[in-house]
Amino acid sequence: MSVSMDTLVSLCKRRGFVFQSSEIYGGTGSCWDYGPLGVELKSNIKRLWWRDFVQLRRDMVGLDASILMHPAVWKASGHVDHFTDPMVDCRECKRRFRADHVDAMPWVHYCAATKGNKFTMPAGEPCGHCGERRTLCPGCGKGELTAPRQFNLMFKTFMGPVEEEASVTYLRPETAQAMFVNFENVLQSMRLKLPFGIAQMGRSFRNEITPGNFIFRSREFEQMEIEYFVNPHDTVDGRPADEYWHDRWIDECMAWFQRYGMRAENLQLREHDKAELAHYAKRTVDIEYRFPIGWNELMGIANRTDFDLKQHAKFSGKSLTYFDEERKEHIVPYVVEPAAGVDRALLAFLADAYREEEVRGEKRVVLRFHPEIAPVKVAVLPLLKKREEIVRTCHAIRDELARHWTAVYDDTAAIGRLYRRQDEVGTPWCVTVDVQTVGDRDKGEQGDERATVRDRDSMEQIRVPIPELVSVVRELLAGAPWSSMAGRFGTAPTTPAQSA
Ligand code: GAP
């Protein structure tokens, strides 16, 4: 079952993943705030990407450059002259649209054949009554659209105390350029040999004409980009090195999304055709995801050749080359660029994890996140919040688990409802403390000092000695199957009070 965008937006707000920016003032156009669980989810995506693509590799290093750069960077990169979208304005309602998007929008139509009745027609379809196709503004249905004009997507600002032309600079529209500009610094300081890559994560800003679809296209977003430099004279397996590494990166990125649970049937590759290729690219392949709005770009992997280093060398007057020891010559490396959006990845992970299931005649919403992606790893829940020892034990367990992972305590509802809440935010395991754990001093009964661990996906429960909880969660997170734990500790019968 595929989930609708409305369902995701509402879950994200209800459960503290994503809020509309400045909501109490009516919201800011296409900017979003990540709430308590969104922050954790996003930081997990970034942490895993950094770990897998930078820290675990021998050929990668990181960079964290400033957002404001010298304005000449954007002249050299082509952004001042070419980072534009064609836009059209409605002469009546003054709304602005991307010229290449208007035909893909539902359109408002006042139909002459039905005494001017107003209809909203599906994108690209003619009116069923009068047969007309859209010619006017799709938003108001009344105004003529202007001829397309180029609109630069960079946010302009001023550096320093004087607002004058000479101090104009831009909020970066991509993280990539800082890696080209710092090529020489990184190369020399780290004594690197080709092929090697520089990675950077961080905010980018684009004054998109038609942002929308929740966090899919916003004006402020985060990117995770890699510039992987190769020697264009080298060959690998009989192929030019840039072409070989381009394919390698496509495979590695595809595998990364699947490693963290994205289903293969929701991912596909799309080759850019010649007409669509950016002016700097030899070849570009997008990884597309089946979003609630349909197949769309999750990330792009481009072969940018030596365009960027040559441009920055030309504009800065500095040499941005690499000395090829074997051939005894200075060369300008080619670059392969895997460029991903953090927010888009987060949306894809959310959509992919979303399930509605029926459990004992009731609907359960569950986010089946990969445990490493899940914002909260363990929730510790008291079966009876009036029993002080139970609550105290829960807090002690949570505090111990929180030293290693995100762990929460919740006692604000009955256990069944608490489990549902944790299912809905994708917490892989819940730990429950009950009377059996702590015993009953009044009756002289000793507790067994075991807590119940409940698995989100199977809803099975096991009883684990409290001192072993950390190692059990560690093993599960490292990939041990739940069945191995069930085998070791035996599944616990579910009492009605603990019912999943
Ligand atoms: N340096 C190359 C570059 O920036 P891009 O295709 O424009 O390439 C890379 O952007 C990725 O950044 C996209 O695949 C997408 O995931 C993300 N992205 C781009 N624009 C975005 C926006 N307005 N909102 C959210 N994510 C965006």
Side-chain angles (χ1 to χ4, degrees):
M1 186 205 91
S2 66
V3 55
S4 76
M5 195 68 105
D6 286 348
T7 304
L8 283 185
V9 174
S10 133
L11 182 142
C12 280
K13 177 167 182 189
R14 201 172 59 251
R15 292 291 180 223
F17 284 95
V18 185
F19 308 126
Q20 168 83 71
S21 162
S22 316
E23 192 182 332
I24 60 168
Y25 289 101
T28 323
S30 284
C31 293
W32 300 93
D33 295 346
Y34 286 86
L37 293 190
V39 170
E40 298 296 336
L41 179 56
K42 200 176 185 196
S43 105
N44 288 344
I45 292 169
K46 292 195 291 183
R47 181 179 51 80
L48 293 168
W49 186 87
W50 195 260
R51 185 189 70 186
D52 294 348
F53 287 135
V54 182
Q55 295 172 327
L56 289 179
R57 295 180 65 115
R58 293 181 198 152
D59 54 351
M60 291 289 306
V61 292
L63 183 76
D64 183 11
S66 60
I67 286 172
L68 294 174
M69 301 178 74
H70 194 290
V73 168
W74 308 112
K75 192 76 193 149
S77 67
H79 283 84
V80 170
D81 297 324
H82 301 297
F83 196 53
T84 55
D85 274 341
M87 55 139 215
V88 290
D89 291 298
C90 171
R91 295 190 198 279
E92 188 76 24
C93 69
K94 309 295 178 211
R95 278 173 67 189
R96 180 168 282 185
F97 306 94
R98 255 177 73 166
D100 52 340
H101 281 187
V102 272
D103 283 336
M105 298 172 71
W107 56 288
V108 169
H109 173 54
Y110 291 92
C111 174
T114 59
K115 298 187 185 147
N117 279 349
K118 180 180 172 185
F119 299 100
T120 300
M121 306 301 307
E125 284 187 21
C127 171
H129 302 286
C130 67
E132 247 181 53
R133 290 190 175 271
R134 186 202 65 74
T135 51
L136 300 172
C137 167
C140 71
K142 292 179 179 162
E144 301 244 330
L145 296 176
T146 60
R149 282 183 293 151
Q150 291 301 329
F151 173 79
N152 196 294
L153 301 188
M154 283 196 293
F155 279 98
K156 250 187 202 172
T157 187
F158 299 95
M159 189 94 92
V162 190
E163 291 193 8
E164 59 180 18
E165 237 353 79
S167 58
V168 163
T169 189
Y170 304 92
L171 300 187
R172 70 179 177 205
E174 60 173 20
T175 57
Q177 294 304 319
M179 294 182 268
F180 301 124
V181 170
N182 278 293
F183 173 77
E184 181 71 7
N185 284 336
V186 174
L187 178 69
Q188 295 309 335
S189 58
M190 304 308 287
R191 298 176 306 282
L192 297 167
K193 294 264 172 281
L194 288 178
F196 70 86
I198 309 178
Q200 172 162 232
M201 300 189 294
R203 301 238 167 202
S204 294
F205 303 82
R206 295 182 190 179
N207 198 5
E208 301 277 6
I209 301 165
T210 43
N213 289 318
F214 193 33
I215 52 174
F216 178 82
R217 180 172 285 106
S218 51
R219 295 197 167 109
E220 176 179 345
F221 53 98
E222 280 193 79
Q223 291 185 303
M224 311 184 279
E225 295 197 283
I226 292 170
E227 304 304 331
Y228 196 78
F229 299 98
V230 303
N231 188 333
H233 303 314
D234 283 351
T235 53
V236 187
D237 293 346
R239 300 174 58 202
D242 60 312
E243 294 179 12
Y244 168 86
W245 280 105
H246 195 187
D247 280 332
R248 270 286 287 272
W249 277 107
I250 294 167
D251 292 347
E252 303 227 357
C253 292
M254 261 305 223
W256 189 82
F257 289 112
Q258 290 177 49
R259 186 176 321 144
Y260 295 107
M262 245 180 238
R263 283 167 284 178
E265 68 264 29
N266 290 334
L267 290 162
Q268 70 180 17
L269 295 178
R270 191 180 69 81
E271 189 91 28
H272 284 212
D273 61 35
K274 284 270 177 293
E276 191 190 353
L277 273 185
H279 58 284
Y280 51 73
K282 174 170 162 183
R283 181 186 170 216
T284 298
V285 173
D286 284 347
I287 295 184
E288 293 193 330
Y289 181 77
R290 199 203 308 250
F291 287 100
I293 49 171
W295 286 104
N296 228 311
E297 177 185 339
L298 174 57
M299 71 172 293
I301 303 130
N303 180 345
R304 297 177 72 119
T305 66
D306 54 9
F307 173 82
D308 305 273
L309 288 179
K310 280 191 168 158
Q311 282 293 102
H312 287 300
K314 185 168 136 198
F315 277 73
S316 68
K318 301 279 181 319
S319 150
L320 298 176
T321 55
Y322 173 88
F323 187 68
D324 182 340
E325 299 280 354
E326 204 183 304
R327 299 178 182 86
K328 302 287 179 230
E329 60 176 0
H330 287 277
I331 57 118
V332 182
Y334 268 33
V335 70
V336 173
E337 180 195 63
V342 179
D343 313 76
R344 248 179 232 189
L346 188 145
L347 182 60
F349 277 119
L350 261 176
D352 217 274
Y354 186 92
R355 306 280 200 291
E356 285 177 13
E357 300 171 353
E358 201 179 297
V359 177
R360 287 185 221 102
E362 277 186 32
K363 180 173 125 178
R364 138 170 132 136
V365 171
V366 56
L367 291 180
R368 286 183 178 248
F369 283 133
H370 184 286
E372 293 239 51
I373 292 281
V376 175
K377 305 292 184 242
V378 192
V380 186
L381 315 170
L383 205 62
L384 290 171
K385 71 170 174 185
K386 289 199 178 110
R387 286 287 294 270
E388 208 189 311
E389 275 166 283
I390 291 184
V391 171
R392 204 180 326 116
T393 307
C394 279
H395 282 303
I397 292 174
R398 191 221 75 99
D399 291 350
E400 183 55 30
L401 291 167
R403 291 158 61 88
H404 308 273
W405 311 282
T406 318
V408 297
Y409 168 87
D410 192 3
D411 67 5
T412 55
I415 192 71
R417 171 134 346 147
L418 293 182
Y419 281 150
R420 289 290 171 273
R421 257 188 223 162
Q422 294 303 327
D423 289 342
E424 210 182 1
V425 300
T427 305
W429 305 290
C430 289
V431 171
T432 312
V433 174
D434 55 18
V435 180
Q436 214 185 321
T437 315
V438 295
D440 190 335
R441 213 179 296 144
D442 294 346
K443 293 185 187 162
E445 286 169 11
Q446 283 271 316
D448 65 4
E449 291 181 16
R450 285 168 179 259
T452 302
V453 180
R454 172 203 184 251
D455 176 50
R456 176 196 68 201
D457 296 343
S458 65
M459 291 183 288
E460 281 179 3
Q461 304 185 356
I462 56 178
R463 294 281 288 180
V464 176
I466 291 173
E468 288 184 49
L469 281 172
V470 167
S471 64
V472 164
V473 174
R474 179 170 291 123
E475 280 180 59
L476 287 168
L477 265 171
W482 173 259
S483 54
S484 70
M485 294 300 159
R488 189 182 329 160
F489 296 100
T491 49
T494 318
T495 65
Q498 284 180 325
S499 123

